[in-house]
Amino acid sequence: MDLFGTAGIRGSVETDVTPERAVAVGRAVGREADEVVVGRDGRTTGPGLAAAVEAGALSGGAAVRRVGVVPTPALAFASRGRRGVMLTASHNPPGDNGIKPFVDGVEYDRAAERGVERRIEADEGPVPWDAWGDRRESSPLPDYRAAVVEYARNLGAPLDGLRVVVDCGNGAGAPATPAIIRELGGDVVSLHANVDGHFPGRGSKPTPDSLADLRAFVADDPDAALGIGHDGDADRIVIVDGAGEVVHEDTVLAVVAERYVRTSDAADPVVVTTPNASGRIDERVTAAGGRVERVALGSLHEGIADAREAGETVAFAAEPWKHIHPRFGGWIDGVASAAVIARLVAAEGLPALRAPVTERPYRKVSVSCPDGAKAAAMERLGTTLPEAFPEATVDTDHGVRLDRPDGSWVLVRPSGTEPYVRLYAESETVDDLVAEARTLVEAAVERAS
Protein backbone atom coordinates (compact mmCIF):
# COMPACT_ATOMS: atom_id res chain seq x y z
CA MET A 1 0.00 0.00 0.00
CA ASP A 2 1.28 3.46 -0.91
CA LEU A 3 -1.28 6.01 0.28
CA PHE A 4 0.90 9.01 1.10
CA GLY A 5 2.44 11.53 -1.25
CA THR A 6 4.78 14.37 -0.32
CA ALA A 7 2.03 16.16 1.66
CA GLY A 8 -0.23 13.53 3.18
CA ILE A 9 -2.99 11.75 1.26
CA ARG A 10 -4.57 13.88 -1.46
CA GLY A 11 -6.85 13.40 -4.44
CA SER A 12 -10.40 13.13 -5.70
CA VAL A 13 -13.08 12.55 -3.05
CA GLU A 14 -14.79 10.16 -5.46
CA THR A 15 -11.85 7.80 -5.99
CA ASP A 16 -8.99 8.52 -3.58
CA VAL A 17 -9.97 10.41 -0.44
CA THR A 18 -13.23 8.61 0.26
CA PRO A 19 -15.14 8.37 3.58
CA GLU A 20 -14.13 4.71 3.80
CA ARG A 21 -10.46 5.63 3.53
CA ALA A 22 -10.90 8.46 6.02
CA VAL A 23 -12.36 6.03 8.58
CA ALA A 24 -9.42 3.68 8.06
CA VAL A 25 -6.81 6.41 8.43
CA GLY A 26 -8.57 7.85 11.47
CA ARG A 27 -8.66 4.44 13.14
CA ALA A 28 -4.97 3.81 12.38
CA VAL A 29 -4.04 7.17 13.92
CA GLY A 30 -6.39 6.60 16.85
CA ARG A 31 -4.80 3.25 17.62
CA GLU A 32 -1.53 5.05 18.31
CA ALA A 33 -2.93 8.01 20.24
CA ASP A 34 -4.63 9.03 23.44
CA GLU A 35 -6.08 12.14 21.83
CA VAL A 36 -6.53 13.30 18.23
CA VAL A 37 -7.34 16.86 17.15
CA VAL A 38 -9.37 16.92 13.92
CA GLY A 39 -9.68 20.03 11.75
CA ARG A 40 -10.60 20.86 8.16
CA ASP A 41 -10.45 23.58 5.57
CA GLY A 42 -13.58 25.05 3.96
CA ARG A 43 -14.16 22.44 1.25
CA THR A 44 -17.73 21.21 0.96
CA THR A 45 -16.58 17.61 1.46
CA GLY A 46 -14.79 18.54 4.69
CA PRO A 47 -17.63 17.91 7.18
CA GLY A 48 -18.27 14.38 5.88
CA LEU A 49 -14.60 13.42 5.76
CA ALA A 50 -13.93 14.95 9.18
CA ALA A 51 -16.82 12.94 10.61
CA ALA A 52 -15.34 9.81 9.05
CA VAL A 53 -11.89 10.47 10.52
CA GLU A 54 -13.48 11.15 13.90
CA ALA A 55 -15.42 7.87 13.76
CA GLY A 56 -12.23 6.00 12.92
CA ALA A 57 -10.20 7.65 15.68
CA LEU A 58 -12.92 7.13 18.29
CA SER A 59 -13.29 3.46 17.37
CA GLY A 60 -9.49 3.18 17.51
CA GLY A 61 -9.63 4.15 21.18
CA ALA A 62 -8.62 7.82 21.04
CA ALA A 63 -10.41 10.86 22.37
CA VAL A 64 -11.29 13.33 19.60
CA ARG A 65 -11.14 17.11 19.82
CA ARG A 66 -13.11 18.62 16.92
CA VAL A 67 -11.83 22.10 15.99
CA GLY A 68 -13.81 22.80 12.81
CA VAL A 69 -12.54 25.06 10.02
CA VAL A 70 -8.99 26.20 10.71
CA PRO A 71 -5.83 26.87 8.71
CA THR A 72 -3.51 23.89 8.59
CA PRO A 73 -0.91 25.76 10.72
CA ALA A 74 -3.52 26.22 13.46
CA LEU A 75 -4.29 22.50 13.44
CA ALA A 76 -0.56 21.76 13.66
CA PHE A 77 -0.30 24.21 16.58
CA ALA A 78 -3.17 22.39 18.31
CA SER A 79 -1.51 18.99 17.77
CA ARG A 80 1.44 19.81 20.04
CA GLY A 81 1.70 17.11 22.69
CA ARG A 82 -0.82 14.89 20.89
CA ARG A 83 -1.88 13.74 17.43
CA GLY A 84 -3.80 15.68 14.83
CA VAL A 85 -5.48 15.12 11.48
CA MET A 86 -6.16 17.91 8.99
CA LEU A 87 -8.65 17.46 6.15
CA THR A 88 -7.34 19.63 3.32
CA ALA A 89 -6.26 19.46 -0.30
CA SER A 90 -4.33 22.72 0.11
CA HIS A 91 -4.13 24.37 -3.33
CA ASN A 92 -5.92 21.58 -5.26
CA PRO A 93 -9.31 22.09 -7.00
CA PRO A 94 -12.51 22.01 -4.92
CA GLY A 95 -13.38 18.42 -5.94
CA ASP A 96 -10.25 17.15 -4.19
CA ASN A 97 -9.56 16.73 -0.51
CA GLY A 98 -6.78 15.30 1.60
CA ILE A 99 -5.81 13.74 4.92
CA LYS A 100 -2.70 15.02 6.67
CA PRO A 101 -1.73 13.51 10.06
CA PHE A 102 0.41 15.34 12.63
CA VAL A 103 2.19 14.36 15.82
CA ASP A 104 3.39 16.96 18.31
CA GLY A 105 3.15 19.79 15.79
CA VAL A 106 4.95 18.06 12.93
CA GLU A 107 3.59 16.24 9.89
CA TYR A 108 4.00 12.47 9.98
CA ASP A 109 7.36 11.40 8.62
CA ARG A 110 7.72 8.50 6.20
CA ALA A 111 8.12 5.93 8.97
CA ALA A 112 4.90 7.07 10.67
CA GLU A 113 3.07 7.06 7.33
CA ARG A 114 4.22 3.49 6.72
CA GLY A 115 2.85 2.58 10.14
CA VAL A 116 -0.58 3.92 9.16
CA GLU A 117 -0.45 1.97 5.91
CA ARG A 118 0.45 -1.26 7.72
CA ARG A 119 -2.44 -0.84 10.16
CA ILE A 120 -4.88 -0.25 7.31
CA GLU A 121 -3.60 -3.31 5.45
CA ALA A 122 -3.94 -5.40 8.63
CA ASP A 123 -7.59 -4.25 8.95
CA GLU A 124 -7.43 -4.33 12.75
CA GLY A 125 -11.02 -3.22 13.27
CA PRO A 126 -12.41 -1.27 16.23
CA VAL A 127 -11.25 -1.65 19.82
CA PRO A 128 -13.80 -3.13 22.29
CA TRP A 129 -16.92 -1.04 22.79
CA ASP A 130 -15.95 0.12 26.28
CA ALA A 131 -12.56 1.38 25.08
CA TRP A 132 -13.89 3.83 22.47
CA GLY A 133 -12.88 7.46 23.01
CA ASP A 134 -15.05 10.49 23.69
CA ARG A 135 -15.51 13.58 21.51
CA ARG A 136 -15.52 17.25 22.42
CA GLU A 137 -15.34 20.52 20.53
CA SER A 138 -12.68 23.15 21.03
CA SER A 139 -11.19 26.12 19.18
CA PRO A 140 -7.42 26.60 18.90
CA LEU A 141 -7.76 29.75 16.76
CA PRO A 142 -7.68 32.37 19.54
CA ASP A 143 -4.59 30.84 21.14
CA TYR A 144 -2.93 30.33 17.76
CA ARG A 145 -3.55 33.91 16.65
CA ALA A 146 -2.21 35.23 19.96
CA ALA A 147 0.89 33.03 19.68
CA VAL A 148 1.64 34.24 16.14
CA VAL A 149 1.28 37.88 17.21
CA GLU A 150 3.60 37.40 20.19
CA TYR A 151 6.16 35.55 18.07
CA ALA A 152 6.17 38.03 15.17
CA ARG A 153 6.90 40.91 17.54
CA ASN A 154 10.43 39.52 17.93
CA LEU A 155 11.25 40.60 14.36
CA GLY A 156 10.92 43.81 12.38
CA ALA A 157 8.97 46.80 13.64
CA PRO A 158 5.39 47.72 14.65
CA LEU A 159 3.07 48.05 11.68
CA ASP A 160 1.68 51.42 12.82
CA GLY A 161 -1.01 51.61 10.16
CA LEU A 162 0.94 49.86 7.39
CA ARG A 163 -1.58 49.07 4.62
CA VAL A 164 -1.57 45.31 3.93
CA VAL A 165 -3.93 43.70 1.42
CA VAL A 166 -4.66 40.04 2.17
CA ASP A 167 -6.23 37.76 -0.44
CA CYS A 168 -7.56 34.79 1.51
CA GLY A 169 -8.83 33.03 -1.62
CA ASN A 170 -12.03 31.93 0.19
CA GLY A 171 -9.75 29.65 2.18
CA ALA A 172 -9.22 28.77 5.83
CA GLY A 173 -6.72 31.59 6.31
CA ALA A 174 -9.58 34.10 6.36
CA PRO A 175 -10.22 33.87 10.13
CA ALA A 176 -6.49 34.06 10.90
CA THR A 177 -4.21 36.29 8.83
CA PRO A 178 -6.30 39.50 8.59
CA ALA A 179 -6.99 39.44 12.34
CA ILE A 180 -3.30 38.88 13.14
CA ILE A 181 -2.11 41.70 10.86
CA ARG A 182 -4.72 43.97 12.42
CA GLU A 183 -3.62 43.01 15.95
CA LEU A 184 -0.04 43.88 14.96
CA GLY A 185 -1.23 47.39 14.08
CA GLY A 186 -1.76 47.05 10.36
CA ASP A 187 -4.43 48.66 8.22
CA VAL A 188 -5.88 45.53 6.62
CA VAL A 189 -7.87 45.17 3.42
CA SER A 190 -9.23 41.63 2.97
CA LEU A 191 -10.16 40.12 -0.39
CA HIS A 192 -12.14 36.89 -0.86
CA ALA A 193 -12.31 36.60 2.92
CA ASN A 194 -15.45 34.48 3.25
CA VAL A 195 -14.63 30.78 3.61
CA ASP A 196 -16.27 28.94 0.71
CA GLY A 197 -15.29 25.46 -0.44
CA HIS A 198 -16.22 26.23 -4.02
CA PHE A 199 -13.50 28.95 -4.11
CA PRO A 200 -15.74 31.36 -6.05
CA GLY A 201 -13.33 34.31 -5.83
CA ARG A 202 -10.35 32.59 -7.43
CA GLY A 203 -8.66 29.23 -7.67
CA SER A 204 -7.24 27.90 -4.42
CA LYS A 205 -3.70 27.88 -5.83
CA PRO A 206 -2.19 31.38 -5.58
CA THR A 207 -0.48 32.12 -8.90
CA PRO A 208 0.20 35.38 -10.75
CA ASP A 209 -2.94 34.75 -12.82
CA SER A 210 -5.25 33.71 -9.97
CA LEU A 211 -4.06 36.66 -7.86
CA ALA A 212 -5.17 39.17 -10.49
CA ASP A 213 -7.62 40.86 -8.09
CA LEU A 214 -4.96 41.22 -5.40
CA ARG A 215 -2.36 42.52 -7.83
CA ALA A 216 -4.74 45.08 -9.32
CA PHE A 217 -5.94 46.27 -5.93
CA VAL A 218 -2.41 46.77 -4.58
CA ALA A 219 -1.25 48.50 -7.77
CA ASP A 220 -4.22 50.90 -7.66
CA ASP A 221 -3.86 51.73 -3.95
CA PRO A 222 -1.00 54.20 -3.40
CA ASP A 223 -0.97 53.45 0.32
CA ALA A 224 -0.66 49.66 -0.01
CA ALA A 225 2.78 48.48 1.15
CA LEU A 226 2.34 44.87 0.12
CA GLY A 227 -0.14 42.15 -0.78
CA ILE A 228 -0.36 38.66 0.70
CA GLY A 229 -1.98 35.67 -1.00
CA HIS A 230 -2.76 32.32 0.60
CA ASP A 231 -3.84 28.94 -0.72
CA GLY A 232 -6.87 27.01 0.52
CA ASP A 233 -5.43 26.10 3.91
CA ALA A 234 -2.94 28.97 4.41
CA ASP A 235 0.24 26.96 4.62
CA ARG A 236 1.50 28.70 1.45
CA ILE A 237 2.19 32.39 1.02
CA VAL A 238 2.75 34.64 -2.01
CA ILE A 239 3.95 38.23 -1.68
CA VAL A 240 2.93 41.06 -4.04
CA ASP A 241 4.87 44.32 -4.15
CA GLY A 242 3.51 47.86 -4.30
CA ALA A 243 3.43 47.78 -8.10
CA GLY A 244 1.18 44.73 -8.07
CA GLU A 245 3.91 42.31 -9.16
CA VAL A 246 4.46 38.92 -7.55
CA VAL A 247 7.79 38.79 -5.73
CA HIS A 248 9.69 35.66 -6.77
CA GLU A 249 9.24 32.97 -4.13
CA ASP A 250 13.00 32.43 -3.81
CA THR A 251 13.54 36.14 -3.18
CA VAL A 252 10.99 35.99 -0.35
CA LEU A 253 12.77 32.92 1.01
CA ALA A 254 16.17 34.63 0.78
CA VAL A 255 14.96 37.77 2.57
CA VAL A 256 13.38 35.87 5.47
CA ALA A 257 16.29 33.41 5.74
CA GLU A 258 18.83 36.24 5.92
CA ARG A 259 16.91 37.97 8.72
CA TYR A 260 16.63 34.77 10.73
CA VAL A 261 20.35 34.07 10.37
CA ARG A 262 21.29 37.62 11.38
CA THR A 263 19.15 37.38 14.54
CA SER A 264 20.32 33.89 15.49
CA ASP A 265 22.48 33.38 18.58
CA ALA A 266 24.08 30.27 17.07
CA ALA A 267 27.69 30.32 15.91
CA ASP A 268 26.83 28.53 12.67
CA PRO A 269 23.08 28.86 11.92
CA VAL A 270 21.67 26.59 9.23
CA VAL A 271 18.92 27.23 6.69
CA VAL A 272 17.34 24.05 5.32
CA THR A 273 15.94 24.22 1.81
CA THR A 274 15.48 22.07 -1.29
CA PRO A 275 17.58 21.41 -4.43
CA ASN A 276 15.35 23.53 -6.68
CA ALA A 277 15.80 26.64 -4.54
CA SER A 278 17.80 29.52 -5.95
CA GLY A 279 21.46 30.29 -5.34
CA ARG A 280 20.31 33.74 -4.22
CA ILE A 281 19.37 32.06 -0.93
CA ASP A 282 22.93 30.77 -0.44
CA GLU A 283 24.31 34.23 -1.22
CA ARG A 284 22.21 36.05 1.37
CA VAL A 285 22.54 33.37 4.04
CA THR A 286 26.32 33.27 3.60
CA ALA A 287 26.49 37.07 3.77
CA ALA A 288 24.61 36.92 7.07
CA GLY A 289 27.03 34.36 8.54
CA GLY A 290 25.06 31.15 8.05
CA ARG A 291 25.02 28.24 5.63
CA VAL A 292 22.49 26.34 3.56
CA GLU A 293 21.77 22.61 3.66
CA ARG A 294 19.58 21.07 0.95
CA VAL A 295 17.24 18.12 1.38
CA ALA A 296 14.87 16.30 -0.97
CA LEU A 297 11.64 18.00 -1.99
CA GLY A 298 8.97 17.43 0.65
CA SER A 299 11.58 16.52 3.29
CA LEU A 300 12.03 19.75 5.23
CA HIS A 301 10.93 18.16 8.49
CA GLU A 302 13.38 15.31 8.10
CA GLY A 303 16.11 17.82 7.22
CA ILE A 304 15.44 19.80 10.39
CA ALA A 305 15.51 16.62 12.48
CA ASP A 306 18.78 15.46 10.91
CA ALA A 307 20.41 18.85 11.46
CA ARG A 308 19.36 18.95 15.09
CA GLU A 309 20.56 15.40 15.63
CA ALA A 310 23.95 16.56 14.36
CA GLY A 311 23.93 19.36 16.95
CA GLU A 312 23.19 22.14 14.46
CA THR A 313 20.85 25.09 15.00
CA VAL A 314 18.23 25.50 12.26
CA ALA A 315 17.35 29.17 11.90
CA PHE A 316 14.82 28.71 9.10
CA ALA A 317 13.57 25.99 6.76
CA ALA A 318 11.68 26.52 3.53
CA GLU A 319 11.00 25.49 0.00
CA PRO A 320 9.33 27.87 -2.45
CA TRP A 321 6.04 29.22 -1.00
CA LYS A 322 6.27 27.02 2.13
CA HIS A 323 8.08 28.19 5.28
CA ILE A 324 8.86 26.57 8.63
CA HIS A 325 9.73 28.88 11.53
CA PRO A 326 11.65 26.61 13.94
CA ARG A 327 11.61 29.12 16.80
CA PHE A 328 7.81 29.10 16.63
CA GLY A 329 6.94 25.53 15.62
CA GLY A 330 7.83 22.60 13.41
CA TRP A 331 5.07 23.01 10.84
CA ILE A 332 4.73 24.85 7.52
CA ASP A 333 3.07 28.15 8.35
CA GLY A 334 2.02 30.76 5.80
CA VAL A 335 0.14 32.72 8.46
CA ALA A 336 3.24 33.18 10.63
CA SER A 337 5.16 34.13 7.47
CA ALA A 338 2.58 36.81 6.71
CA ALA A 339 3.01 38.32 10.16
CA VAL A 340 6.82 38.17 10.08
CA ILE A 341 7.11 39.60 6.55
CA ALA A 342 4.70 42.44 7.36
CA ARG A 343 6.86 43.37 10.36
CA LEU A 344 10.03 43.25 8.23
CA VAL A 345 8.39 45.48 5.61
CA ALA A 346 7.34 47.91 8.35
CA ALA A 347 10.96 48.10 9.52
CA GLU A 348 12.77 48.44 6.20
CA GLY A 349 10.31 48.65 3.30
CA LEU A 350 9.93 45.94 0.70
CA PRO A 351 12.26 47.57 -1.87
CA ALA A 352 15.06 47.78 0.70
CA LEU A 353 14.56 44.16 1.73
CA ARG A 354 14.84 43.03 -1.88
CA ALA A 355 17.73 45.30 -2.87
CA PRO A 356 20.63 43.02 -1.80
CA VAL A 357 19.09 39.96 -3.47
CA THR A 358 20.48 39.13 -6.90
CA GLU A 359 17.48 38.08 -9.01
CA ARG A 360 18.69 36.20 -12.07
CA PRO A 361 16.29 34.85 -14.73
CA TYR A 362 14.88 31.45 -13.75
CA ARG A 363 13.45 28.61 -15.84
CA LYS A 364 11.84 25.23 -15.18
CA VAL A 365 11.53 22.71 -18.03
CA SER A 366 10.03 19.21 -18.12
CA VAL A 367 11.55 16.62 -20.44
CA SER A 368 9.42 13.52 -21.15
CA CYS A 369 10.97 10.36 -19.75
CA PRO A 370 9.37 6.93 -19.14
CA ASP A 371 9.47 5.92 -15.50
CA GLY A 372 11.52 2.86 -16.35
CA ALA A 373 14.23 4.96 -17.99
CA LYS A 374 14.69 7.52 -15.22
CA ALA A 375 17.36 5.67 -13.25
CA ALA A 376 19.57 4.99 -16.25
CA ALA A 377 19.12 8.52 -17.59
CA MET A 378 20.07 10.07 -14.26
CA GLU A 379 23.09 7.79 -13.94
CA ARG A 380 24.35 8.97 -17.31
CA LEU A 381 23.64 12.62 -16.48
CA GLY A 382 25.74 12.22 -13.35
CA THR A 383 28.70 12.01 -15.75
CA THR A 384 27.73 14.07 -18.78
CA LEU A 385 26.51 17.18 -16.94
CA PRO A 386 29.70 17.68 -14.86
CA GLU A 387 31.79 17.06 -17.99
CA ALA A 388 29.89 19.80 -19.83
CA PHE A 389 30.30 22.27 -16.96
CA PRO A 390 33.74 21.48 -15.50
CA GLU A 391 33.94 24.77 -13.61
CA ALA A 392 30.84 23.91 -11.53
CA THR A 393 30.56 22.42 -8.06
CA VAL A 394 28.58 19.17 -8.31
CA ASP A 395 26.00 17.86 -5.83
CA THR A 396 24.32 14.53 -6.59
CA ASP A 397 22.37 14.02 -3.35
CA HIS A 398 18.99 14.92 -4.91
CA GLY A 399 19.45 14.71 -8.66
CA VAL A 400 22.40 16.48 -10.28
CA ARG A 401 22.93 20.11 -9.27
CA LEU A 402 25.73 22.22 -10.73
CA ASP A 403 26.63 25.52 -9.04
CA ARG A 404 28.85 27.74 -11.17
CA PRO A 405 31.30 30.42 -9.96
CA ASP A 406 29.19 33.26 -11.38
CA GLY A 407 26.20 32.30 -9.19
CA SER A 408 24.26 30.54 -11.94
CA TRP A 409 23.16 26.94 -11.45
CA VAL A 410 21.31 24.06 -13.04
CA LEU A 411 19.49 21.13 -11.45
CA VAL A 412 18.23 17.97 -13.14
CA ARG A 413 16.07 15.54 -11.19
CA PRO A 414 13.50 12.87 -11.97
CA SER A 415 9.88 13.63 -11.15
CA GLY A 416 8.54 11.41 -8.41
CA THR A 417 4.95 11.54 -9.69
CA GLU A 418 5.02 12.06 -13.47
CA PRO A 419 6.95 10.66 -16.49
CA TYR A 420 9.36 13.58 -16.68
CA VAL A 421 12.87 14.63 -15.86
CA ARG A 422 12.76 18.17 -14.45
CA LEU A 423 15.35 20.76 -15.40
CA TYR A 424 15.74 23.93 -13.34
CA ALA A 425 18.17 26.72 -14.18
CA GLU A 426 19.02 30.22 -13.08
CA SER A 427 21.45 32.46 -14.96
CA GLU A 428 21.82 35.85 -16.60
CA THR A 429 21.91 33.82 -19.84
CA VAL A 430 19.33 31.29 -18.71
CA ASP A 431 18.01 30.38 -22.16
CA ASP A 432 21.50 29.37 -23.32
CA LEU A 433 22.08 27.39 -20.13
CA VAL A 434 18.75 25.59 -20.47
CA ALA A 435 19.39 24.78 -24.12
CA GLU A 436 22.79 23.26 -23.38
CA ALA A 437 21.54 21.25 -20.40
CA ARG A 438 18.37 20.14 -22.18
CA THR A 439 20.39 18.68 -25.05
CA LEU A 440 22.26 16.50 -22.55
CA VAL A 441 19.05 15.48 -20.77
CA GLU A 442 17.29 14.49 -23.99
CA ALA A 443 20.34 12.49 -25.11
CA ALA A 444 20.45 10.66 -21.77
CA VAL A 445 16.71 9.88 -21.91
CA GLU A 446 16.97 8.64 -25.51
CA ARG A 447 19.88 6.39 -24.64
CA ALA A 448 18.05 5.00 -21.59
CA SER A 449 14.69 4.42 -23.28
Side-chain angles (χ1 to χ4, degrees), residues 87-158:
L87 283 304
T88 180
S90 189
H91 58 280
N92 280 32
D96 286 0
N97 214 319
I99 308 171
K100 185 180 293 188
F102 288 82
V103 56
D104 197 19
V106 179
E107 292 177 35
Y108 269 30
D109 62 18
R110 194 65 189 130
E113 291 172 349
R114 290 295 189 199
V116 169
E117 291 168 349
R118 285 194 296 271
R119 285 188 177 277
I120 293 174
E121 283 187 309
D123 193 18
E124 295 173 317
V127 299
W129 66 269
D130 55 353
W132 284 34
D134 70 317
R135 190 190 72 187
R136 300 176 188 172
E137 295 189 4
S138 63
S139 175
L141 266 176
D143 288 344
Y144 170 71
R145 288 192 298 249
V148 172
V149 168
E150 181 180 1
Y151 172 74
R153 284 176 173 154
N154 294 312
L155 293 156

Side-chain angles (χ1 to χ4, degrees), residues 103-348:
V103 56
D104 197 19
V106 179
E107 292 177 35
Y108 269 30
D109 62 18
R110 194 65 189 130
E113 291 172 349
R114 290 295 189 199
V116 169
E117 291 168 349
R118 285 194 296 271
R119 285 188 177 277
I120 293 174
E121 283 187 309
D123 193 18
E124 295 173 317
V127 299
W129 66 269
D130 55 353
W132 284 34
D134 70 317
R135 190 190 72 187
R136 300 176 188 172
E137 295 189 4
S138 63
S139 175
L141 266 176
D143 288 344
Y144 170 71
R145 288 192 298 249
V148 172
V149 168
E150 181 180 1
Y151 172 74
R153 284 176 173 154
N154 294 312
L155 293 156
L159 300 192
D160 289 340
L162 186 82
R163 176 73 64 87
V164 181
V165 185
V166 182
D167 184 344
C168 304
N170 303 121
T177 299
I180 288 168
I181 299 297
R182 193 170 291 112
E183 180 66 21
L184 288 169
D187 175 14
V188 181
V189 178
S190 299
L191 307 181
H192 309 307
N194 59 313
V195 180
D196 188 326
H198 293 91
F199 303 111
R202 64 164 172 84
S204 57
K205 185 174 182 177
T207 67
D209 289 340
S210 70
L211 293 173
D213 289 349
L214 173 64
R215 296 172 59 199
F217 194 101
V218 173
D220 290 343
D221 185 344
D223 296 323
L226 78 157
I228 294 170
H230 284 312
D231 60 346
D233 66 331
D235 61 352
R236 293 191 177 205
I237 184 171
V238 174
I239 298 298
V240 171
D241 66 19
E245 296 299 322
V246 172
V247 181
H248 194 282
E249 59 272 16
D250 284 342
T251 294
V252 175
L253 203 165
V255 165
V256 178
E258 179 178 359
R259 293 316 182 277
Y260 272 120
V261 168
R262 290 195 184 281
T263 58
S264 175
D265 295 329
D268 186 28
V270 170
V271 171
V272 177
T273 189
T274 49
N276 60 324
S278 169
R280 69 190 72 173
I281 298 159
D282 303 69
E283 292 170 0
R284 299 319 308 160
V285 168
T286 300
R291 59 191 170 86
V292 171
E293 292 186 3
R294 284 183 164 80
V295 297
L297 287 169
S299 299
L300 291 177
H301 301 95
E302 289 85 346
I304 293 171
D306 290 345
R308 287 174 171 169
E309 188 174 343
E312 299 170 335
T313 298
V314 179
F316 186 53
E319 57 185 89
W321 301 292
K322 299 190 288 188
H323 304 164
I324 297 176
H325 305 263
R327 298 181 201 170
F328 181 58
W331 54 86
I332 294 168
D333 198 328
V335 176
S337 291
V340 166
I341 292 168
R343 294 264 308 179
L344 294 177
V345 170
E348 303 179 47

Side-chain angles (χ1 to χ4, degrees), residues 367-370 373 377 380-381 421 440-449:
V367 178
S368 294
C369 179
R380 180 170 178 79
L381 288 165
V421 170
L440 295 171
V441 173
E442 289 175 343
V445 170
E446 183 178 358
R447 186 181 179 95
S449 299

Side-chain angles (χ1 to χ4, degrees), residues 5 16 31 37 44 76 78 195 209 212 248 270 336 345 385 394 409-410 433:
D16 301 310
R31 283 274 192 169
V37 185
T44 59
V195 180
D209 289 340
H248 194 282
V270 170
V345 170
L385 280 168
V394 182
W409 59 275
V410 61
L433 179 57

Side-chain angles (χ1 to χ4, degrees), residues 3-22:
L3 290 179
F4 289 86
T6 57
I9 302 167
R10 190 181 297 174
S12 166
V13 296
E14 297 176 3
T15 57
D16 301 310
V17 187
T18 61
E20 293 80 7
R21 180 155 289 172

